[in-house]
Amino acid sequence: MLTSNRKTKEKVFFIGIGALTILIFIPLFHIIATVLIKGFPVIAERGTKFLTGTLSEGGIGPAIAGTFILTFLSALLGLPVAFLVGVYAYEYPKSTLGQWTKTLLQIMIEFPTILVGVFVMQVVAVPMGTYSALAGALALAIILTPYVAVYTHEALREIPSTYREAGFSLGLTRAKVVFRILAPMAKRGILTGILIGMAKVAGETAPLLFTAGGLYESYPSSVTKPVGAVPLLIYQLVQSPNPVDHATAWGASLVLLAIFLGIFIPIRLSLKEVRL
Amino acid sequence: MNFAIETVNLNVYYGQNHVIKGVDLKIPNRGVFALMGPSGCGKSTMLRTFNRLIELNEGARVDGEVRLFGENIYSGDVDPIEVRKRVGMVFQYPNPFPHLTIYDNVAIGLKLNGLVKSKEELDERVEWALKKAALWDEVKDRLNDYPGNLSGGQRQRLVIARALAMKPEVLLMDEPTANIDPVGTAKIEELLLELKEDYTIVLVTHSPAQAARVADHVAFLYLGELIEVGPARKVFENPEHELTEKYVTGALG
C-alpha cells in the first residue's frame, strides 16, 4: 500500500513535469507551423520574383540582400575583436581587466538591443547624416561580439591543461601556443559561437530601427547608404493596413526562418561531432 | 664533472605551501635518473622546475638555482622559451594534439619554431624522431591519420617522438607509464634503455620497481625533501636511510 502510493506520486510528478515541458515548446512549434502555413502559399504564388524582386514588384530581394550584407559586415567588424577578447579572458583570468571582461560580456549578452541601436545612431548615423549599412552592421557587431567572445573563452577553457603544458614544453611562445595550438583545437566551439552569434544578428530588428534605415525598391549599392533587412521589413509591413503587405510579411517571415535555421542547424550537427 | 642538471638549494612554494625544501641534486650527463617518491612528495613539481614549466602555475614561486650544463636557468637574462627548446618533456597523460595528424604532431615544434629549412629536412627529421621513439614501423603507412586511433602506449611514444624531434639535450618524463597498459609500459621502458645512450632522461615515477628496472641513478624524495640519492643499485640494495628502505620495500605510501 505504502509503496504503491509512493509510485503514484512519482508518476503524477513525472507526467506533470513532462506536460509543462511540452507546454513550453508549443509556441515554438506553433510559430514554425504558422509561418509555414501562411508564408508558403505567398512564396509559391509569386515564385522566384518574391525572392529577387523589389517591394513594388511583390518581392523582398533587396531585404534579403540587405540581411546578408549586414550579417556579413557585422561578422567582419565583430569577429576579430570578439576572438581576441575571448582569448584575453582565457589567458589573463586573474588580471583585474580579465575578471571584469567575463562579467561585462555576460551583461552585453543580456543587454537590451534597442539601446545598442540608439547608441550607434548617436555616434554613427547622426554624424554621417544618414542611415547606412555601416551603422546597422556596427550595431549588429556589438550584439555579435559578446556571443563569440564567450564561446571562444569557454571553448579554450575546456581544453585540458596538459595540452597547454605540451605546447609550452616545445619551446613555443605564449602567442604560438594560444593561436597555433589551442585555438585550432577549440575551433569547433569557436565556430559554434560564431554561428550562434550570426544566427542571432540575422534575426535582429531593434538595433536596425535607427541605424539601417531600410531599402526595398532597389538593391543596396554602398555601405554608406541605407540598407534593408528582412526582419526590419517584416516590422514595417505588419504595420501597414494593406492585406497584400501582410501577405508579403508572411512570405518574408518564412525566408527569415529559413535563413535562421540554415545557420542554426549546422550548429546542432557540428556539436554532435565534438570529441576529445 | 659536468652535470646535465644541478640544483642548488632549490625551494618551491605554492602560496604559503613549501613543497620543495632546499634540494641539492646532481644529475649526471647521459643515462636514466629516476626521481621517486610517494604521491604528493613534490617530484612532478621538481621536474617542472627543470624546464621552467612550473611558471605556468601563477601561484608557484621558485627560489635557488637550477643549472643546465652549468648555466643557471633562473638567472634574470635567461629566456624560458630557449630553455624549453633544449629540455623536452613527456607527460603523465599521453597528450598528442588531437587535431593534428601523426606527422604534424612530430613536426609542430620544428615548424612553429622555424628550426628546419625545407620540407625534405622536416620529413627526414619526423622519420628520424619516430624511428628513435620506436614508433615508425607502426605508423609509417598512416602518418596522415589522427592520433585518436592509436593505443595509449603508441600515443605516449608519439609524444616522445614529438619531444625528440626538437633534438633536446635532456628529456623530462613525468610518470610516462602511469596511464599505459603493461604491454605499452614494457615497450616504453625498453625505449628508455635505448634512449639513455644519447640523452639524459629524468624520470619521475611513483613505482620503485620501475626505477629499479630502468634507472642508473635514483633520488628518493619525501614530503619535499631529498632523502637519498645515488646509483640505483646502491640505493635499492643498501639504502642509507630508514625511510628509503621502507619505501623501496613497499612499506611506505
Side-chain angles (χ1 to χ4, degrees):
Chain A
M1 188 61 211
L2 282 171
T3 328
S4 76
N5 187 24
R6 184 178 65 84
K7 283 190 173 164
T8 315
K9 271 187 189 166
E10 161 142 355
K11 219 169 215 170
V12 170
F13 182 75
F14 180 75
I15 292 170
I17 291 282
L20 280 173
T21 307
I22 292 169
L23 197 66
I24 283 177
F25 294 117
I26 285 178
L28 174 67
F29 290 110
H30 189 266
I31 291 167
I32 293 176
T34 316
V35 167
L36 275 172
I37 291 165
K38 301 234 184 186
F40 188 72
V42 179
I43 299 178
E45 183 200 324
R46 303 192 194 170
T48 52
K49 199 185 67 183
F50 183 79
L51 299 175
T52 56
T54 62
L55 194 56
S56 46
E57 293 166 353
I60 60 164
I64 295 174
T67 285
F68 279 108
I69 289 170
L70 284 168
T71 307
F72 177 75
L73 213 55
S74 67
L76 207 65
L77 292 172
L79 293 185
V81 184
F83 175 69
L84 290 176
V85 170
V87 167
Y88 179 83
Y90 167 74
E91 273 296 307
Y92 302 96
K94 299 237 171 83
S95 71
T96 314
L97 185 58
Q99 282 175 333
W100 275 95
T101 303
K102 279 181 270 180
T103 314
L104 291 176
L105 287 174
Q106 287 299 340
I107 294 174
M108 273 182 87
I109 283 186
E110 313 296 344
F111 207 64
T113 52
I114 190 141
L115 297 185
V116 176
V118 172
F119 164 73
V120 173
M121 178 188 76
Q122 278 298 322
V123 301
V124 181
V126 170
M128 280 176 74
T130 173
Y131 295 131
S132 65
L134 204 60
L138 184 63
L140 294 181
I142 292 171
I143 292 157
L144 175 93
T145 302
Y147 281 90
V148 179
V150 165
Y151 270 83
T152 301
H153 178 229
E154 284 301 321
L156 287 170
R157 265 181 13 144
E158 273 171 24
I159 298 175
S161 63
T162 183
Y163 294 109
R164 191 178 158 78
E165 282 197 315
F168 277 103
S169 80
L170 291 169
L172 301 178
T173 59
R174 190 171 189 151
K176 279 180 181 159
V177 170
V178 173
F179 292 112
R180 305 295 297 272
I181 293 183
L182 300 181
M185 269 182 85
K187 70 178 171 215
R188 279 219 174 88
I190 296 171
L191 200 64
T192 303
I194 291 174
L195 290 173
I196 285 182
M198 285 173 68
K200 167 91 181 155
V201 300
E204 277 291 338
T205 316
L208 300 178
L209 284 173
F210 323 120
T211 54
L215 177 72
Y216 305 109
E217 290 301 346
S218 67
Y219 276 84
S221 59
S222 161
V223 292
T224 55
K225 290 191 178 141
V227 71
V230 179
L232 194 59
L233 175 64
I234 295 168
Y235 170 76
Q236 284 163 4
L237 290 176
V238 167
Q239 296 176 64
S240 149
N242 186 346
V244 178
D245 285 344
H246 288 181
T248 309
W250 280 115
S253 300
L254 182 54
V255 170
L256 183 62
L257 186 68
I259 293 173
F260 177 79
L261 292 179
I263 302 175
F264 208 79
I265 286 172
I267 301 175
R268 296 307 316 173
L269 295 181
S270 82
L271 276 182
K272 270 182 202 150
E273 282 174 42
V274 171
R275 70 190 168 110
L276 256 182
Chain B
M1 183 177 168
N2 195 8
F3 294 100
I5 290 176
E6 190 181 352
T7 72
V8 182
N9 193 23
L10 181 68
N11 288 279
V12 180
Y13 306 82
Y14 286 135
Q16 295 297 313
N17 277 348
H18 194 181
V19 288
I20 297 289
K21 300 168 183 165
V23 170
D24 292 296
L25 191 66
K26 290 180 168 67
I27 299 177
N29 196 4
R30 302 269 159 82
V32 175
F33 187 102
L35 276 176
M36 58 179 191
S39 303
C41 70
K43 43 194 198 308
S44 288
T45 297
M46 187 140 110
L47 196 71
R48 280 166 169 71
T49 64
F50 297 166
N51 61 352
R52 293 185 60 172
L53 207 60
I54 187 94
E55 286 161 35
L56 297 190
N57 185 326
E58 282 172 23
R61 189 163 62 80
V62 179
D63 212 39
E65 288 186 16
V66 174
R67 295 182 189 152
L68 181 62
F69 295 100
E71 186 191 358
N72 178 20
I73 61 171
Y74 282 92
S75 101
D77 53 349
V78 171
D79 182 354
I81 303 286
E82 295 306 316
V83 172
R84 292 177 197 138
K85 284 181 191 167
R86 295 168 57 193
V87 182
M89 188 157 180
V90 175
F91 301 84
Q92 193 172 4
Y93 177 82
N95 60 2
F97 300 119
H99 66 302
L100 297 178
T101 61
I102 291 169
Y103 180 96
D104 281 334
N105 260 288
V106 182
I108 186 150
L110 300 166
K111 264 193 198 166
L112 294 187
N113 282 312
L115 295 177
V116 283
K117 286 173 189 68
S118 65
K119 177 84 174 92
E120 289 71 37
E121 196 185 346
L122 187 61
D123 285 346
E124 270 171 35
R125 188 77 79 85
V126 168
E127 182 175 339
W128 172 85
L130 283 169
K131 278 181 175 159
K132 222 42 186 156
L135 189 61
W136 175 252
D137 290 333
E138 291 157 64
V139 301
K140 65 178 178 212
D141 299 322
R142 45 174 175 152
L143 292 175
N144 291 321
D145 278 5
Y146 290 87
N149 300 323
L150 299 177
S151 73
Q154 287 174 321
R155 281 188 215 184
Q156 197 62 299
R157 278 179 281 143
L158 179 58
V159 171
I160 293 171
R162 178 175 73 190
L164 290 178
M166 297 282 293
K167 299 228 167 161
E169 295 155 52
V170 176
L171 198 54
L172 308 178
M173 298 189 142
D174 185 7
E175 301 199 34
T177 60
N179 293 297
I180 310 292
D181 64 80
V183 176
T185 298
K187 276 193 177 167
I188 287 170
E189 288 181 0
E190 207 177 296
L191 176 60
L192 291 186
L193 296 178
E194 280 171 35
L195 290 175
K196 74 174 189 176
E197 303 297 323
D198 304 317
Y199 298 92
T200 304
I201 296 170
V202 186
L203 173 75
V204 160
T205 177
H206 62 258
S207 149
Q210 181 170 60
R213 284 195 297 271
V214 299
D216 304 299
H217 291 81
V218 296
F220 174 54
L221 272 180
Y222 189 67
L223 300 175
E225 284 181 68
L226 181 64
I227 305 296
E228 187 159 350
V229 58
R233 222 192 149 96
K234 153 126 200 343
V235 173
F236 282 107
E237 288 176 3
N238 194 10
E240 275 171 21
H241 203 289
E242 198 186 335
L243 270 173
T244 316
E245 185 170 354
K246 274 190 181 168
Y247 180 71
V248 299
T249 54
L252 190 75

